[in-house]
Amino acid sequence: MARIYIKTYGCQMNERDSEQVAQMLMERGHSITVREEEADVVLLNTCSVRDLAEQKALGKMGMLRALSRDRPIVYGLLGCMAQNRGSALLNELPHLDLVVGTQKFHRVADHVDQAIERKWSTRLDDVRFSIVDVDEEANSQRTIRDHVLGERQATAFVSIMQGCNMHCTFCIVPFTRGHERSRPLQEIVDEVKSLVAKGVKEVTLLGQIVNLYGRHEFVSVDGKSPFVQLLEALQEVSGLERIRFTSPHPIGFRNDLIESFGRLPKLVEHIHLPLQSGSNRILKAMHRTYTAEKFAALVDRIRSVTPTIAITTDIIVGFPGETDDDYARTHELADRVGFDNAFIFKYSKRKGTPAAEMEQQVPDSVKENRNQDLLELINSWAKRRSEPFVGREVEILCEGPSKTNPSRLTGRTRGNKIVVFEGAPQHIGTLLNIRIARSTGYTLYGHPVGG
Ligand code: 5AD
């Protein structure tokens, strides 16, 4: 039996896929290690969304080769970059044994076993034996369904669909994750029920375009989209306390979903709603199919139903052709909305996407300046959005020890604000009220009420 090191790059969906891979390997008797130096098998689950993420994984895989000086090691690249580059990766990294794409995570355990057997018996490092498995597979979206839960783990990710048909011109996802495919509703509900039976209280539903769940497979009923039908079904799961989802597209964020926040108590008061740009010209070139005005109106409608809702976003700066004036519109809209938090990305050329071929690529120094400027605005809004919590009591779900200071505990409010507090081990995995004493902008600090 082998010791297996898995490192994950990128989004929550990648985390979730790695969890599935780990579960299947453990089921076969392998163990998972967090120490690369003791691993027999090294798996990097990769991200392609920006060039930096690819370079990091390639660099890491190159460095890890040194491990095989003293003993045979099986090396695998999984996920988005594996899907996108396929067997070409073997030219760059000839020590790779496995290249496994995004529709084949459920095959990783078989491939690992096969590679181990060969490596351990022959000790051969020969690309002729490398396994490249990057084909499409019908129903692969239904294979991400098993979990590895830690002790007192109260939160879990649930992948409800795969792929995206939107074809935003900057985005590699259609190439790495394929077209939209959704899981049957009942299968998702059953998965959530089994998580709840093991102590999970909060689920985050995952999809590249999560609010369009089921649009090709299922029909709307009484004006409710398949996604809203799923939310309603999950509302009925007793013992489940909180439902989150990420990431939706502003297109398809219709009234049935907006109203759900008013009537489904388990649906938390937080939406991550990617804006990308506040310039209509750039939105059009991005193929985002909404305008700045429509985005602002959507936020207003959401807030009219749920005034306290936290809204976070993704913004790209330096998309090809973005002028100072275009960027000023983004700044203006971000200021008008007043996001609770935002991920800001400098545009990164992705080979094969339409934007990579566009003229007027923006120099890095300009991207950097816009990035800094926007970051300041986002930080100041984050502070303004957190400040009102000081002196108040908030409900949090305690996730465990704080990463920065393990003697303290951490959890999140329904609005997804991180709260750090002095607590006791029995708080882990439970909902409790915290009185907030201070805020640093992104983190709130406080004490258990009555504790
Ligand atoms: N360059 C920069 N950022 C990108 N994103 C997606 N593609 C690119 C790219 N080529 C960002 C988007 C998306 C987030 C997950 O990553 O903002 O919402």
Side-chain angles (χ1 to χ4, degrees):
M1 291 298 115
R3 282 165 300 188
I4 300 181
Y5 170 79
I6 308 178
K7 185 172 171 65
T8 309
Y9 297 84
C11 64
Q12 292 105 322
M13 187 163 275
N14 293 3
E15 295 283 344
R16 177 72 195 99
D17 295 333
S18 291
E19 184 185 6
Q20 180 69 40
V21 168
Q23 191 276 342
M24 294 179 92
L25 289 164
M26 286 161 73
E27 202 170 85
R28 295 189 180 198
H30 300 301
S31 62
I32 303 296
T33 175
V34 293
R35 292 153 50 96
E36 56 196 47
E37 62 279 7
E38 66 172 31
D40 306 303
V41 177
V42 168
L43 301 176
L44 304 186
N45 191 7
T46 58
C47 169
S48 284
V49 84
R50 280 172 299 280
D51 188 52
L52 190 66
E54 291 205 346
Q55 294 311 325
K56 273 192 199 163
L58 290 171
K60 182 86 182 168
M61 190 46 95
M63 265 167 46
L64 288 170
R65 181 169 199 179
L67 291 177
S68 64
R69 258 190 239 125
D70 342 303
R71 62 209 154 85
I73 307 262
V74 168
Y75 292 102
L77 276 183
L78 319 180
C80 288
M81 184 169 51
Q83 188 69 46
N84 196 27
R85 299 206 191 182
S87 55
L89 286 163
L90 298 173
N91 303 333
E92 257 173 277
L93 299 162
H95 62 295
L96 275 183
D97 301 287
L98 308 175
V99 176
V100 184
T102 54
Q103 307 201 19
K104 298 290 181 178
F105 287 111
H106 58 291
R107 300 278 297 139
V108 170
D110 284 341
H111 294 326
V112 163
D113 281 347
Q114 204 184 321
I116 287 177
E117 199 182 297
R118 188 178 47 73
K119 267 265 156 97
W120 289 7
S121 59
T122 66
R123 297 198 153 229
L124 270 184
D125 224 358
D126 186 330
V127 288
R128 281 175 306 171
F129 298 118
S130 296
I131 298 168
V132 178
D133 192 1
V134 294
D135 287 343
E136 288 183 11
E137 184 175 321
N139 285 317
S140 64
Q141 73 277 18
R142 296 172 67 176
T143 62
I144 308 297
R145 58 182 182 209
D146 303 305
H147 292 260
V148 183
L149 295 178
E151 219 181 305
R152 310 190 72 152
Q153 185 175 331
T155 62
F157 293 137
V158 175
S159 285
I160 67 169
M161 66 182 301
Q162 295 281 336
C164 185
N165 292 4
M166 294 305 282
H167 290 278
C168 301
T169 54
F170 53 80
C171 190
I172 196 79
V173 164
F175 300 90
T176 59
R177 291 278 175 177
H179 59 270
E180 292 164 20
R181 290 108 56 214
S182 293
R183 297 174 62 194
L185 188 145
Q186 193 56 45
E187 243 173 63
I188 300 166
V189 173
D190 289 344
E191 182 177 328
V192 171
K193 280 184 179 161
S194 87
L195 287 167
V196 169
K198 293 176 189 140
V200 166
K201 296 191 172 64
E202 172 186 303
V203 292
T204 303
L205 308 178
L206 301 179
Q208 271 88 25
I209 186 144
V210 73
N211 53 323
L212 298 185
Y213 163 79
R215 68 167 164 162
H216 307 290
E217 292 86 355
F218 316 115
V219 293
S220 292
V221 176
D222 300 333
K224 290 172 189 160
S225 66
F227 184 59
V228 169
Q229 294 168 41
L230 174 62
L231 295 175
E232 286 183 343
L234 294 177
Q235 171 66 36
E236 298 307 313
V237 174
S238 75
L240 181 67
E241 303 277 357
R242 293 174 167 190
I243 305 166
R244 301 184 185 280
F245 57 83
T246 200
S247 290
H249 195 295
I251 291 297
F253 214 109
R254 304 220 171 83
N255 283 339
D256 59 332
L257 179 52
I258 295 171
E259 282 157 14
S260 300
F261 284 87
R263 64 190 178 82
L264 302 178
K266 291 179 184 177
L267 198 52
V268 296
E269 292 77 27
H270 171 226
I271 301 177
H272 184 72
L273 193 63
L275 166 63
Q276 311 303 1
S277 170
S279 153
N280 290 339
R281 219 174 58 79
I282 296 297
L283 285 168
K284 196 161 180 207
M286 287 176 161
H287 194 232
R288 285 296 285 179
T289 62
Y290 53 86
T291 60
E293 294 73 25
K294 281 207 170 129
F295 188 93
L298 173 59
V299 168
D300 289 347
R301 272 190 294 142
I302 291 169
R303 285 183 172 151
S304 73
V305 173
T306 318
T308 59
I309 202 156
I311 302 180
T312 57
T313 198
D314 293 341
I315 298 172
I316 297 176
V317 293
F319 183 84
E322 187 187 70
T323 62
D324 287 343
D325 182 60
D326 291 316
Y327 170 69
R329 304 287 157 109
T330 298
H331 184 107
E332 199 178 285
L333 185 55
D335 198 24
R336 149 110 160 66
V337 172
F339 292 106
D340 289 73
N341 197 354
F343 297 111
I344 306 167
F345 303 106
K346 290 187 277 185
Y347 170 71
S348 166
K349 261 187 179 181
R350 310 315 296 127
K351 207 165 166 221
T353 63
E357 307 302 321
M358 290 179 188
E359 287 166 15
Q360 297 180 289
Q361 296 286 328
V362 174
D364 203 51
S365 58
V366 175
K367 290 182 194 167
E368 186 54 45
N369 288 342
R370 290 176 188 167
N371 186 53
Q372 281 307 323
D373 179 73
L374 196 54
L375 202 57
E376 270 172 42
L377 178 74
I378 296 298
N379 284 343
S380 79
W381 267 108
K383 276 207 168 103
R384 282 165 74 175
R385 295 284 181 209
S386 290
E387 213 46 55
F389 289 97
V390 175
R392 276 177 41 201
E393 234 177 72
V394 289
E395 182 202 81
I396 67 142
L397 177 58
C398 179
E399 291 170 20
S402 158
K403 283 204 181 87
T404 48
N405 179 351
S407 71
R408 294 188 295 197
L409 296 177
T410 183
R412 283 165 201 267
T413 67
R414 288 173 58 96
N416 213 32
K417 298 264 182 293
I418 296 171
V419 176
V420 172
F421 64 103
E422 312 276 343
Q426 74 265 19
H427 290 139
I428 298 173
T430 68
L431 289 167
L432 72 155
N433 286 340
I434 302 286
R435 182 168 296 283
I436 302 302
R438 65 191 174 90
S439 151
T440 59
Y442 290 105
T443 309
L444 303 171
Y445 293 86
H447 309 280
V449 173

